[in-house]
Amino acid sequence: MRQTPVYIICSPRPLVGKTLVARLLSEFLLLKNGTVAAFDVNLKEPSLLDFLPKVTETAEIDDTFGKMSLMDRLIIPDGIAKVIDLGFHAFDEFFQMTEEIGFVKEAARRGVAPIVLFVGDIDRVSARSYPNLQRQIPPGSLVTIENEYVVRGELPAAFAEGKILHIAALPNFLKTYVDRLSFSFTDYLRQEKDSSTELHQWIRHNYLRFRELELSMILQGS
């Protein structure tokens, strides 16, 4: 039986493109599967709920009820891919919680596959946080997102040890375009007839990377 994926997009730093990655991944999964369940755990950052309100719900982990409510939704092997846009303010609390309850082992027992997409940066906070994830998350389930718009040049060596998913930087005028709340990556692919445009190629490239990641996880779980 194929495992139900739970993608956790995270960073201990604000403004690193985390919600952009969550939007891209959610739209890819919605296009491929026809459904996705997204959870927005944000406070001050741009909200996934604002961009994809039809498939996203807010989640809070400030108290025990909120934590258990979210975990109960994530641990269900219903075949519906889950995407969590984890705000930087909740990073430490979330992974402390998953470690305390043994989330990774319990998920595997139930046929759920957590995949952590850590948006890398060159700052000290990111460098300190990554080893903590490595101790909790199996190597095959921990992926570093190399967002070229944030990281100019090479990622620190510590991030290069595992899987890396590269996202190329968009020119500022295109970034402003895709940051509109009404913008949809999939709708753009469907409506733009010229497949040679930079944005068309950028979206297709990222969707392809997500598909490759998905296939690698399927092979890993088989």
Side-chain angles (χ1 to χ4, degrees), residues 132-153:
N132 293 332
L133 286 183
Q134 287 179 306
R135 286 191 289 271
Q136 182 180 161
I137 309 300
S141 300
L142 180 57
V143 182
T144 298
I145 300 292
E146 182 184 13
N147 184 355
E148 193 178 78
Y149 192 85
V150 175
V151 179
R152 305 289 179 170

Side-chain angles (χ1 to χ4, degrees), residues 80-94:
I80 300 175
K82 315 297 191 304
V83 175
I84 303 172
D85 183 8
L86 184 66
F88 76 97
H89 72 286
F91 182 91
D92 291 333
E93 184 73 16
F94 180 86

